[in-house]
Amino acid sequence: MSTSDPILGVLGTGRIGADHARTISTLSGIGGILVADAVPESAQKIAQELGATAVSPDEIFDKVDALVITTPTSTHAELIKKAVAKKIPTFTEKPIALDVPTTREVVDVVNDSDVLVQVGFMRRFNDGYANARKLLAEGAIGELRRGNVTMGDTPAPPESFIKFSGGINKDCLIHDADITRWVTGQRIEEVYEVGFSRGADYFSRWDDIDEGGGVWTLADDSIVTFQTTRNNGAGYDIRLELFGTKDTISVGFDTYMPITSAEPGFTFEQAGDRFQAFYPRFIPAYKKEIGHFVQAMKDGSPSVATVNDALEALYVCDAMDLSRKEHRPVKVDEIRQAK
């Protein structure tokens, strides 16, 4: 198989896997797409839609030049290790695993190899976040002092997803933890989180929450507040605000923002319908991250989102979980330094 015309495999054809397969089908320079799923009918359905080829999960490792892993999180670690052992460049959805020891094991395997592994932190490929990072680095807002993260998810996932998700922090806020570190260049050093289950009863049944908020303290003592929900009735709302000594900038403050002003006589101009789910909000970023992965595989450039980045974001998520359960601030080093 030609490295200039790679065969890409998508392992896992649920919601995100099917969408990634559709994205891959729009890219130039792809020699073909193979799809596989533990439920063969699922793979066959997306294969028929895209003109791809459906194979078994075991077969796919011997028939592709690169692999996209979008299976349930509990399977990511072993699949990544198997791909690395076979020298297959791999793109994997986050998180690598739901626990630190397993994630560290995968990090060691990947770092001891020369195989490209890219983690699906797609916000790093979003123009708004990239521009915020640039503006902050250039000093356009002065010295960063405060920030605010809005993570308004909708619709709420079903119980069948929640029970395997690892909770709202590892499913959703892990993106915000990663992108805050990437944009600001600062690690999150301390967290404090509160949260409650106020919607469907299955969230509390799986020790999860659907409403939360709190504070992150960055390494430079900047204070970042955050809020998260599974029930954002106005639409899918993802924003990052940065407050500096010279100016304030915001990612996601645009004509699709699902907000109604309470100021009399003022209305936000709407360019189109508000986003009602995560994938439409980030379609350009999803395309760019897969395109970057394919290009990195071809030219040998490093990953923009590494397994080390995934581990750092997981540390923050575990610290938030501990903070909420014990109702106290938690230093992220408490998680980083645990055996």
Side-chain angles (χ1 to χ4, degrees), residues 32-294:
I33 305 171
L34 271 60
V35 294
D37 196 277
V39 180
E41 294 78 11
S42 174
Q44 289 161 4
K45 181 179 178 181
I46 192 67
Q48 185 174 17
E49 175 189 334
L50 300 178
T53 301
V55 297
S56 74
D58 287 332
E59 286 180 288
I60 201 167
F61 285 90
D62 296 321
K63 295 186 175 183
V64 296
D65 296 306
L67 186 64
V68 175
I69 296 174
T70 56
T71 53
T73 297
S74 60
T75 66
H76 289 181
E78 290 306 314
L79 293 174
I80 294 167
K81 289 191 290 184
K82 183 174 181 179
V84 170
K86 289 179 172 288
K87 304 292 185 183
I88 301 172
T90 299
F91 174 96
T92 179
E93 275 303 326
K94 56 76 201 162
I96 289 172
L98 295 176
D99 65 277
V100 168
T102 304
T103 302
R104 283 175 172 161
E105 182 181 328
V106 174
V107 167
D108 289 342
V109 168
V110 173
N111 288 344
D112 286 342
S113 77
D114 58 357
V115 178
L116 171 69
V117 176
Q118 181 175 320
V119 181
F121 287 128
M122 78 290 185
R123 296 189 196 180
R124 294 180 176 220
F125 296 88
N126 173 264
D127 289 343
Y129 287 109
N131 195 38
R133 184 175 190 246
K134 177 176 177 288
L135 290 171
L136 181 60
E138 291 174 347
I141 72 168
E143 185 178 311
L144 178 66
R145 295 295 176 82
R146 292 168 291 114
N148 183 64
V149 163
T150 299
M151 202 301 295
D153 192 25
T154 188
E159 183 173 11
S160 58
F161 175 85
I162 292 299
K163 66 182 181 180
F164 297 116
S165 71
I168 197 169
N169 290 335
K170 293 175 184 175
D171 181 41
C172 296
L173 274 172
I174 193 169
H175 280 293
D176 298 282
D178 174 72
I179 204 63
T180 297
R181 172 172 163 258
W182 187 75
V183 168
T184 67
Q186 301 289 328
R187 290 203 315 187
I188 297 170
E189 298 292 9
E190 185 176 77
V191 308
Y192 179 71
E193 182 184 56
V194 295
F196 305 94
S197 176
R198 299 187 61 190
D201 59 5
Y202 55 77
F203 289 101
S204 57
R205 187 154 56 237
W206 295 101
D207 196 26
D208 198 3
I209 61 171
D210 58 359
E211 304 289 346
V215 181
W216 295 331
T217 303
L218 306 188
D220 67 350
D221 291 334
S222 294
I223 300 167
V224 178
T225 54
F226 65 89
Q227 53 178 303
T228 183
T229 180
R230 291 287 196 180
N231 312 295
N232 207 60
Y236 187 72
D237 190 7
I238 298 296
R239 281 175 284 138
L240 171 64
E241 298 160 277
L242 299 177
F243 304 86
T245 53
K246 289 170 54 178
D247 201 359
T248 298
I249 56 176
S250 177
V251 180
F253 196 100
D254 59 17
T255 53
Y256 294 93
M257 184 172 57
I259 288 180
T260 299
S261 174
E263 296 296 330
F266 178 81
T267 303
F268 285 114
E269 180 182 351
Q270 293 290 314
D273 293 337
R274 297 171 173 182
F275 295 117
Q276 296 300 316
F278 70 91
Y279 203 88
R281 165 68 174 84
F282 287 109
I283 284 176
Y286 281 117
K287 288 186 176 182
K288 284 183 180 179
E289 73 169 353
I290 294 294
H292 173 86
F293 168 67
V294 172

